[in-house]
Amino acid sequence: MDVLLNVFVGLHIIGIAALLGGFLTQMKAMSAGTARFVPAMLHGALTMLVTGVLLVGFREMDGTGVNNIKIGVKLAVLFVILALVYVKRDEERVEKALFGAVGGLTLVNIFIAVLWH
């Protein structure tokens, strides 16, 4: 079970890397007002959602349990990110504030995962 958990933690980290990496690659375009949500951002958010749900399920099956409030907050933040990226994914330009909000929420989700025990 430990190997399975570690594989899905790795996949979860790859998902956050894709989401944050997609944001960071568009930073220069954001300052020019031409930023857009790249496919890596959508795929990263979806990967985070699927692997996160599976990780919670594995923890519950293992008897370890999770902090349900923390998971609920992280899930709510991820749903907002996913909704924004999904709805605006085909637009050639995304407003700076909206694009920045997705980047900020991504960082919030990372810090919740790391700092909330």
Side-chain angles (χ1 to χ4, degrees), residues 7-108:
V7 167
F8 280 96
V9 167
L11 290 172
H12 196 69
I13 292 170
I14 290 170
I16 193 76
L19 178 58
L20 187 60
F23 173 78
L24 293 175
T25 61
Q26 293 289 306
M27 289 285 288
K28 187 174 182 180
M30 185 174 82
S31 64
T34 60
R36 60 184 301 259
F37 292 129
V38 295
M41 295 175 75
L42 178 62
H43 298 151
L46 287 170
T47 299
M48 287 176 56
L49 177 64
V50 170
T51 58
V53 168
L54 288 171
L55 283 169
V56 169
F58 292 150
R59 292 278 183 194
E60 291 292 334
M61 286 189 311
D62 195 23
T64 308
V66 295
N67 182 341
N68 289 321
I69 296 172
K70 174 184 172 181
I71 298 301
V73 170
K74 285 181 56 56
L75 189 60
V77 171
L78 182 58
F79 273 143
V80 171
I81 293 169
L82 196 53
L84 291 173
V85 172
Y86 185 78
V87 168
K88 300 286 188 173
R89 74 188 182 282
D90 292 331
E91 293 190 11
E92 286 297 317
R93 294 181 180 183
V94 178
E95 300 83 23
K96 286 182 184 181
L98 183 64
F99 196 79
V102 168
L105 288 171
T106 301
L107 291 175
V108 165

